[in-house]
Amino acid sequence: MNKVIINTDITQGVINKNIYGHFAEHLGRCIYEGIWVGEDSSIPNTKGIRNDVLAALKQIKVPVLRWPGGCFADEYHWKDGVGPKEVRKRMVNTHWGGVVENNHFGTHEFMLLCELLECEPYICGNVGSGTVQEMSEWVEYMTFEGESPMANWRRENGQEKPWKLKYFGVGNENWGCGGNMRPEYYSDLYRQYQTYVRNYGGNKIYKIAGGANSDDYNWTEVLMKNAHRMMDGLSIHYYTVPGDWTDKGAAVDFAEDEWFITMKKAYRMDELITKHSTIMDKYDPEKRVGLIIDEWGTWFNVEKGTNPGFLYQQNTLRDALVAGLHFNIFHNHNDRVQMANIAQTVNVLQAMILTEGEKMILTPTYHVFDMYKVHQDAQRLEVASSCGNYEYNGQTLPQVSISASRDEQGKIHISLCNIDPLNKADIEIELRGINDAARVFGSILTSGSMNDHNTFEQQDVVKPCEFNDVNVSNNQLAVQLPPMSVVTLTIES
Ligand code: AHR
């Protein structure tokens, strides 16, 4: 029997809602088609932004949205994307698919999207191919209230008041597509560029330095050593790729070997956060600098017949388990992890939403975001567990992953993932600190097969249902998790 003790009276700090953040790049059909259809589209829209996608994203309470890339950010010149649309520069998106970028979705459209979603914008500036002046002027354009060339231009373009901009990234993957730099060089550039990312008026920018590729601990070491006093956050990027970069594995057509390796690689996020945090602790023991996981998620081979540069992949129950595992890991590192942005919101990589013309479907990953949103800004609770393993071919992984929190109203939320595709998990949960769990209810996401997914023809193959396999006796819960399931329980005492 698996045993879990949750100390409901020992809180361990806030779970920053920004770990439920998103990332939308000018890549494939994420921005164009997925989010932006233009005012003249027959698809119902609000000033060019499709209404169905907006409504779905509002439901999961997107707290922060990263834009315009990704690799695109270090090729993006923001001035091309403001002013009258008919004269905006047309360019080729060389990095992603070689398609024409007409710049119809630019700064104003992005800020409108964030306003409609009621989320914080997180803009990534161009270090790789942009100048200090260009970055500095972008910040001036967006946030300066008074008289200045950039603020005047913003007003001419229809935005009288400056926007509030909190999160700003100084480059993206500068070890790779963002300029192939060495950490010593980038850390000097970071120091230089960030100097001119000014705080105008009451706008205070949280500056995020471009961080390491997965386990490049030296990058974190050098960045922290050379620049930690000049940053508020440092990023890392880590993708869950079951194969290698030449054959990443299929999104839908896989068997248990790939299921197992995917779970193993998803669990690796825990090790990466632990090790990067240990380095950060050396320079920043007070944990002032946040670890920002601004790209994460599954990365599989693209769907057959689609542009390889569009990174379009389906999304199965396996993706849902990967999302649940990540959130539990992020919760359990809430002292250092202050933001995470899944890649990407619509039609790209581990997407929440897929679209085809006017049709839209929600993926299993979307449903996990919906089930877990109760943890946003809640107090993390201490969890001690002794659970069994999921065994495959002589290898093992922890079968059950758990995290818990208490929200402002005092409700306790517990999220559990059973990653074993064949075996259920019986779990006894003791809620210390309360006498009686008066009301317990929950929802579950599971399905008959590990490959199950939603399609435009069958949209609800994988969707959450009410969860009833829980027996309550005073402060003890007996829970039965079916194989490959994600469950969120709510307890009122
Ligand atoms: O999310 C897709 C790409 O992955 C991003 O553009 C880049 O930053 C990363 O390599």
Side-chain angles (χ1 to χ4, degrees):
M1 174 66 77
N2 302 296
K3 292 222 181 249
V4 174
I5 296 169
I6 299 179
N7 288 303
T8 67
D9 46 2
I10 304 182
T11 53
Q12 297 187 311
V14 171
I15 294 171
N16 194 324
K17 67 177 177 186
N18 288 336
I19 66 159
Y20 290 90
H22 288 254
F23 168 38
E25 182 167 11
H26 287 235
L27 193 179
R29 298 186 301 113
C30 182
I31 293 289
Y32 298 106
E33 287 187 44
I35 293 173
W36 175 261
V37 287
E39 284 102 328
D40 301 333
S41 170
S42 58
I43 298 174
N45 67 83
T46 303
K47 295 183 182 165
I49 298 169
R50 55 189 296 170
N51 290 343
D52 51 356
V53 170
L54 262 183
L57 292 177
K58 280 199 83 159
Q59 163 68 21
I60 55 172
K61 293 195 173 155
V62 173
V64 59
L65 181 60
R66 179 173 185 251
W67 174 85
C71 295
F72 184 78
D74 280 279
E75 298 196 356
Y76 184 59
H77 300 285
W78 69 270
K79 291 180 185 174
D80 298 345
V82 298
K85 291 199 180 62
E86 51 297 350
V87 293
R88 289 191 196 171
K89 227 182 239 177
R90 285 164 71 81
M91 59 185 266
V92 175
N93 188 335
T94 41
H95 205 92
W96 299 118
V99 290
V100 171
E101 161 68 59
N102 64 14
N103 275 304
H104 281 192
F105 190 90
T107 305
H108 291 249
E109 292 74 23
F110 173 65
M111 288 301 198
L112 170 69
L113 171 63
C114 293
E115 208 177 293
L116 294 169
L117 290 175
E118 297 174 63
C119 76
E120 295 279 353
Y122 167 16
I123 286 189
C124 185
N126 180 346
V127 172
S129 69
T131 62
V132 176
Q133 181 180 359
E134 184 181 7
M135 185 179 286
S136 158
E137 287 183 337
W138 200 2
V139 174
E140 180 191 325
Y141 184 91
M142 292 186 280
T143 62
F144 190 66
E145 173 131 42
E147 167 87 26
S148 86
M150 291 302 118
N152 292 352
W153 192 25
R154 181 193 69 234
R155 280 187 281 267
E156 273 167 38
N157 289 334
Q159 179 69 24
E160 184 57 36
K161 287 271 160 217
W163 289 287
K164 186 179 154 280
L165 172 70
K166 183 162 178 193
Y167 299 105
F168 194 87
V170 180
N172 169 74
E173 296 195 351
N174 301 92
W175 41 263
C177 63
N180 285 308
M181 299 171 195
R182 288 168 297 178
E184 291 77 10
Y185 180 67
Y186 171 71
S187 59
D188 279 346
L189 281 190
Y190 173 78
R191 292 169 64 106
Q192 181 190 2
Y193 276 65
Q194 69 77 36
T195 308
Y196 305 94
V197 173
R198 305 268 192 216
N199 291 322
Y200 293 112
N203 192 68
K204 168 91 181 70
I205 292 186
Y206 182 102
K207 297 174 188 172
I208 300 171
N213 180 17
S214 52
D215 60 359
D216 183 354
Y217 300 115
N218 182 48
W219 186 279
T220 296
E221 174 75 41
V222 174
L223 261 287
M224 287 301 287
K225 184 165 83 198
N226 293 350
H228 73 274
R229 288 200 179 81
M230 298 177 187
M231 63 176 80
D232 299 297
L234 175 62
S235 70
I236 60 165
H237 289 179
Y238 173 67
Y239 284 95
T240 300
V241 184
D244 58 33
W245 288 103
T246 53
D247 181 9
K248 298 180 266 302
V252 173
D253 192 11
F254 59 88
E256 194 179 349
D257 52 347
E258 285 182 49
W259 170 278
F260 182 88
I261 189 84
T262 305
M263 296 304 142
K264 186 173 173 182
K265 291 194 172 181
Y267 265 124
R268 187 158 179 247
M269 182 56 93
D270 187 52
E271 174 193 323
L272 294 172
I273 294 174
T274 305
K275 291 188 174 166
H276 283 287
S277 299
T278 304
I279 298 166
M280 293 174 81
D281 286 348
K282 215 164 95 183
Y283 299 95
D284 175 37
E286 293 82 32
K287 300 185 193 290
R288 186 192 62 81
V289 179
L291 185 58
I292 309 294
I293 299 149
D294 54 19
E295 290 188 24
W296 68 274
T298 55
W299 194 325
F300 305 121
N301 296 333
V302 298
E303 295 305 321
K304 286 204 177 72
T306 64
N307 185 330
F310 279 16
L311 310 186
Y312 177 74
Q313 64 191 41
Q314 249 294 357
N315 195 293
T316 66
L317 182 60
R318 176 175 60 164
D319 294 80
L321 267 301
V322 168
L325 283 185
H326 276 77
F327 289 140
N328 290 340
I329 293 168
F330 296 156
H331 292 174
N332 294 333
H333 285 281
N334 67 331
D335 57 344
R336 186 60 91 175
V337 177
Q338 298 304 335
M339 192 197 292
N341 310 75
I342 190 166
Q344 298 193 7
T345 314
V346 192
N347 290 332
V348 170
L349 299 176
Q350 191 176 349
M352 312 311 102
I353 292 171
L354 302 177
T355 66
E356 199 178 82
E358 62 185 12
K359 290 188 247 162
M360 177 196 90
I361 55 172
L362 305 176
T363 65
T365 298
Y366 174 93
H367 293 305
V368 177
F369 271 75
D370 200 22
M371 289 164 68
Y372 271 66
K373 70 185 177 199
V374 289
H375 297 289
Q376 290 194 13
D377 277 347
Q379 291 282 339
R380 173 158 86 90
L381 295 176
E382 192 182 78
V383 179
S385 63
S386 150
C387 296
N389 284 330
Y390 159 39
E391 289 186 31
Y392 176 75
N393 228 359
Q395 292 190 67
T396 60
L397 289 173
Q399 184 186 359
V400 179
S401 148
I402 309 169
S403 67
S405 69
R406 196 176 61 212
D407 69 17
E408 263 193 334
Q409 290 82 45
K411 291 183 197 157
I412 294 164
H413 303 285
I414 309 173
S415 288
L416 307 110
C417 301
N418 175 11
I419 63 162
D420 192 321
L422 301 174
N423 298 298
K424 67 182 171 69
D426 290 308
I427 308 176
E428 271 179 13
I429 303 177
E430 181 185 341
L431 298 166
R432 290 202 182 149
I434 60 172
N435 297 325
D436 200 14
R439 209 165 100 79
V440 179
F441 53 97
S443 54
I444 179 165
L445 189 75
T446 187
S447 198
S449 150
M450 61 173 85
N451 316 87
D452 280 350
H453 57 283
N454 299 330
T455 64
F456 293 95
E457 294 70 43
Q458 288 189 287
Q459 307 200 349
D460 287 328
V461 175
V462 188
K463 67 164 190 196
C465 305
E466 207 177 298
F467 179 69
N468 295 313
D469 276 334
V470 47
N471 290 316
V472 186
S473 156
N474 304 318
N475 68 339
Q476 309 273 339
L477 313 181
V479 179
Q480 198 179 92
L481 294 183
M484 46 187 182
S485 61
V486 179
V487 166
T488 292
L489 296 173
T490 295
I491 294 114
E492 292 172 2
S493 56

